[in-house]
Amino acid sequence: MSEATLHAEHHHGPDKGILRWLYTTNHKDIGTMYLILALSSLLIGGIMAFVIRAELFEPGLQLVDPNFFNQMTTMHGLIMVFGAIMPAFVGLANWLVPMMIGAPDMALPRINNWSFWLLPFAFGMLLSTLFMEGGAPNFGWTFYAPLSTTYAPPSVTFFIFSVHIMGISSIMGAVNVIVTIFNMRAPGMTFMKMPLFVWTWLITAFLLIAVMPVLAGAVTMMLMDIHFGTSFFDAGGGGDPVLFQHVFWFFGHPEVYIMILPAFGIVSHIIATFSRKPLFGYTSMVLATASIAFLSFIVWVHHMFTVGLPLAAELFFMYSTMLIAVPTGVKVFNWVTTMFKGSLTFETPMLFSIAFVVLFTIGGLSGLMLAIAPVDFQYHDTYFVVAHFHYVLVPGALFSILAAVYYWLPKWCGRMYSETLGKWHFWLSFIGVNLTFFPMHFIGLAGMPRRIPDYALQFADFNAIVSVGAFIFGTSQLIFIYNVWRTTLGGVGEKATPEVWDNPTGLEWTIPSPAPYHTFQEPPKVD
Amino acid sequence: MNTPRYYVPARSHWPIIGAGAVFLTILSLARSIQESSSGEVSGLTLALTVVAGCAMLFMLFGWFGEVIKEGLQGYNSDQLKKSFRFSMGWFIFSEVMFFAGFFGALFYARMFAVPWLGGEGDKGVSNMLWEGFSAQWPLLTTPDMEKFPGATSVINAWKLPLINTALLVTSSFTLTFSHHALRAKDKQKTLLWLGLTLLLGFTFLVIQVYEYGHAMNDLGLTLNAGIYGSTFFMLTGFHGAHVTLGAIMLTVMFFRVKKDHFKPDDHFGFEASAWYWHFVDVVWLMLFVFVYVI
């Protein structure tokens, strides 16, 4: 084939209309679609959170019946984890990884589009369970057997298969990322020169490929127990409901790092830029990320301290879990040290990143408390756990995603967002998120169990505060949506320079803003 | 410069068709499982299944056909070929982890769940559920014999499973001979050894089906027989499904060799199928040891 045809293949612009999005093989288009899907899921999951918080605003049953309340907590968790946080990070990886390593696109562009388009089908199927007889899944996002097998609503079959579709999508997406990073780096970009976002995503992709198949195995065992008479999770046949928890958390614990490692990468970029200093301790950041990934495979039982385990297991998993604090501490130390004596400015991405460091650390410390097995007997399944994982997921993962969007949006669309609106968004979110999740620590320690629609009267005041905080946090996200909308589609805002910020490092800042439809068709030279 | 740049296809309708086809397949599967547990499978679901099957075939032939054509036209740079290899490697790793999940369930049931039900260890509470239950492996008498009726015995490892082991291990060798012949540009020998590999693979599958019949009809070993039956059928069943997939891949390679698609130094499709075949072989060896023998 001639050089000319090859040229034609490479130098096309996007298609017009809807076909651009259906047929695209472009990593930027696909990244955008992932981000839009994540935002839609965030809104849907957010509405479910509003239902939950409205019911819990005061004691007693007022708005929804308990079964529907359980459906809301379950679907809120599933939608936020699989529909909002994970796709948002995959979207960012799509946009950024090829630009950061100087690649023309992802390694397998068609598989990339396929991975994306499986997701709307999967979430369509999952959401459709809300309208099925018997209602949507109501057994919590961790879908423990036998609640999710013997006592599950009939829609569980569709839940299982929607998880299968998400799994195919995640595995294919992760294979794509990992191969892109291994094989598509510009000449001269050695592993230890890769930007941290790329490093963290490399390790995340490895975790995804390792554990998503185990989740597929777990839901397959459920399906077989429900419909084909197997006894994986039924002690009557020699199985064990606790086996479900083992298989689930073998997936589930690496999964929570899948949702936080890319955030570490993002924050490392942003803090260095706005401190106007190189990142402190690049090598230790890489090693810490790898250690966290390794440890994530040997700590899963800390989710199950109260199910009745041999003492040796309690001890092993308690100590291995506490070890995670070491590499995480290294990271927090590095971020703080990067800021130390820097010329700091506080643009919106930096505000979100600093809030990330502080609030994620709170979530990490409550995690350390939960890791102590004897104490966990008190905390287990209380609002303390809810506070813990919301601190790492909302001001943790979600804040990093918001920071990333503010930070790279000028590169994507060529315009600066409104800093004033950004600051409003940040401060309202910051106040809202703490008002929502901080009091949960107290009511949890005082003994309020999670996943209940009604509660004892002594928890009333804190719950009212939490609901108000949730309302503030939820509605302030509309500022973000408006800000992004006016910058992108609205075409308002100052034109961005190629560098956008004050001397940031990375290949993505060497190309024009907005980034051309195709970048780095000839690989740049990195020295 | 002779080497083409990294090929980024301009646009493609296959991914969206692929997503739709996978969705329809899974939807029809979910609906038929759902409906058959509560009565009859509806006509709509049957129709959906047919449509889904056609869509899948259309997508698979179309998409793979396009990729093969691009390869033959020389679009694929060395770097792209490397991407293909890496991707197949990681995909196989994901499959390894899928099996690891089921092996994990097997080991857990055998090492912990069943002995605990029998009262072993300091977690002796669970044996209060079914007093008099004694732990044994393979588990033939379940705690709740009404719900999970158990089995009279398990498959003898040294009869059919041993033959199957020999078949699969031999097939890995014959496949390697075929690969060597392909590198040596000996088309006849390539086809001969590949054909023999396929024959061994399909014989394995036939024996496996026969063994299932024997297990279910003569030994009472079914999915419903308790945890041994559950793990036995899930592990060997998924393995059999993977052998089937591998055999289909090798069949396609047989016809592609016939059509002279491969060069001695450029035959990714063949290599990927061979890796996959060796992978299912290794899984079988694990199965033979941990499910049948000990």
Side-chain angles (χ1 to χ4, degrees), chain A residues 419-438:
Chain A
E419 195 59 55
T420 316
L421 286 174
K423 291 219 161 75
W424 271 100
H425 173 220
F426 169 74
W427 285 108
L428 286 172
S429 296
F430 182 80
I431 294 165
V433 100
N434 284 300
L435 215 50
T436 310
F437 299 116
F438 209 76

Side-chain angles (χ1 to χ4, degrees), chain A residues 263-307:
Chain A
F264 291 163
I266 291 165
V267 170
S268 303
H269 284 252
I270 295 174
I271 288 182
T273 297
F274 294 101
S275 303
R276 290 161 184 80
K277 277 174 64 191
L279 182 72
F280 182 86
Y282 170 89
T283 313
S284 64
M285 283 294 206
V286 172
L287 292 176
T289 311
S291 323
I292 292 174
F294 167 73
L295 288 172
S296 76
F297 285 104
I298 54 162
V299 297
W300 78 91
V301 176
H302 67 216
H303 295 269
M304 321 160 39
F305 280 146
T306 61
V307 293

Side-chain angles (χ1 to χ4, degrees), chain A residues 1 15 25 107 183 227 234 237, chain B residues 6 9 11 37 75 79 147 227:
Chain A
M1 125 168 216
D15 273 336
T25 49
N183 194 32
H227 292 291
D234 192 329
Chain B
Y6 200 87
R11 64 214 282 279
S37 337
Y75 282 37
Q79 198 187 10
K147 198 173 169 197
I227 192 66

Side-chain angles (χ1 to χ4, degrees), chain A residues 75-299:
Chain A
M75 295 292 271
H76 165 76
L78 291 169
I79 297 275
M80 288 303 198
V81 167
F82 294 104
I85 303 292
M86 287 171 71
F89 280 131
V90 182
L92 292 171
N94 259 290
W95 256 103
L96 298 172
V97 168
M99 294 203 298
M100 285 179 166
I101 62 173
D105 206 294
M106 297 291 276
L108 305 167
R110 282 171 286 207
I111 295 278
N112 197 18
N113 193 28
W114 186 52
S115 308
F116 169 76
W117 277 108
L118 284 170
L119 284 181
F121 287 112
F123 291 106
M125 197 184 236
L126 183 61
L127 287 173
S128 73
T129 58
L130 278 167
F131 307 101
M132 287 178 188
E133 214 181 304
N138 55 3
F139 30 68
W141 87 273
T142 52
F143 46 101
Y144 279 10
L147 283 178
S148 61
T149 52
T150 317
Y151 306 105
S155 64
V156 66
T157 308
F158 292 91
F159 156 78
I160 287 170
F161 281 106
S162 78
V163 171
H164 273 306
I165 306 180
M166 287 170 210
I168 299 171
S169 161
S170 284
I171 292 168
M172 290 300 133
V175 167
N176 223 333
V177 172
I178 216 165
V179 175
T180 305
I181 297 173
F182 272 131
N183 194 32
M184 308 281 284
R185 279 169 292 129
M189 181 169 287
T190 56
F191 275 105
M192 290 317 276
K193 281 185 190 162
M194 287 193 320
L196 262 180
F197 181 71
V198 179
W199 253 117
T200 50
W201 241 109
L202 176 68
I203 292 168
T204 302
F206 169 75
L207 292 180
L208 274 168
I209 302 173
V211 300
M212 288 309 282
V214 178
L215 175 68
V219 292
T220 306
M221 291 179 214
M222 275 168 61
L223 182 79
M224 299 306 287
D225 270 15
I226 295 168
H227 292 291
F228 298 97
T230 57
S231 55
F232 286 104
F233 309 134
D234 192 329
D240 190 347
V242 177
L243 171 61
F244 175 85
Q245 299 182 26
H246 281 291
V247 183
F248 177 82
W249 285 115
F250 185 82
F251 147 79
H253 202 78
E255 165 70 15
V256 304
Y257 294 137
I258 286 163
M259 293 189 285
I260 203 66
L261 293 184
F264 291 163
I266 291 165
V267 170
S268 303
H269 284 252
I270 295 174
I271 288 182
T273 297
F274 294 101
S275 303
R276 290 161 184 80
K277 277 174 64 191
L279 182 72
F280 182 86
Y282 170 89
T283 313
S284 64
M285 283 294 206
V286 172
L287 292 176
T289 311
S291 323
I292 292 174
F294 167 73
L295 288 172
S296 76
F297 285 104
I298 54 162
V299 297

Side-chain angles (χ1 to χ4, degrees), chain B residues 134-189:
Chain B
S134 69
Q136 82 250 213
W137 193 268
L139 184 70
L140 298 176
T141 311
T142 64
D144 185 349
M145 287 295 278
E146 268 175 37
K147 198 173 169 197
F148 301 103
T152 48
S153 78
V154 295
I155 303 276
N156 182 347
W158 305 109
K159 286 182 176 166
L160 290 179
L162 184 68
I163 296 172
N164 262 347
T165 309
L167 287 177
L168 270 197
V169 172
T170 315
S171 78
S172 256
F173 280 101
T174 54
L175 183 58
T176 305
F177 295 150
S178 170
H179 197 172
H180 283 305
L182 180 68
R183 282 173 198 266
K185 289 192 195 170
D186 190 337
K187 188 173 165 183
Q188 283 318 310
K189 262 196 183 154

Side-chain angles (χ1 to χ4, degrees), chain A residues 358-492:
Chain A
V358 176
L359 300 180
F360 173 79
T361 303
I362 294 179
L365 289 174
S366 59
L368 205 53
M369 291 168 73
L370 287 163
I372 303 167
V375 192
D376 182 66
F377 275 70
Q378 170 70 20
Y379 304 155
H380 187 84
D381 260 354
T382 67
Y383 258 82
F384 190 80
V385 177
V386 179
H388 158 68
F389 69 73
H390 280 93
Y391 257 90
V392 289
L393 280 175
V394 185
L398 182 62
F399 269 26
S400 83
I401 292 163
L402 296 171
V405 171
Y406 282 117
Y407 184 61
W408 279 290
L409 190 68
K411 175 56 61 190
W412 299 341
C413 73
R415 284 180 191 281
M416 301 302 287
Y417 60 86
S418 156
E419 195 59 55
T420 316
L421 286 174
K423 291 219 161 75
W424 271 100
H425 173 220
F426 169 74
W427 285 108
L428 286 172
S429 296
F430 182 80
I431 294 165
V433 100
N434 284 300
L435 215 50
T436 310
F437 299 116
F438 209 76
M440 287 185 183
H441 291 109
F442 307 136
I443 46 177
L445 290 177
M448 177 166 160
R450 66 192 283 207
R451 293 173 176 152
I452 51 158
D454 187 9
Y455 49 84
L457 293 178
Q458 68 266 31
F459 306 127
D461 293 347
F462 276 135
N463 267 296
I465 295 171
V466 167
S467 289
V468 171
F471 183 76
I472 296 172
F473 178 74
T475 41
S476 61
Q477 302 318 305
L478 297 176
I479 305 174
F480 168 73
I481 294 171
Y482 172 70
N483 202 355
V484 171
W485 175 80
R486 75 192 277 279
T487 319
T488 51
L489 298 176
V492 190

Side-chain angles (χ1 to χ4, degrees), chain A residues 10-22:
Chain A
H10 279 271
H11 282 283
H12 62 91
D15 273 336
K16 294 274 171 274
I18 183 79
L19 286 185
R20 165 175 178 183
W21 306 101
L22 293 181

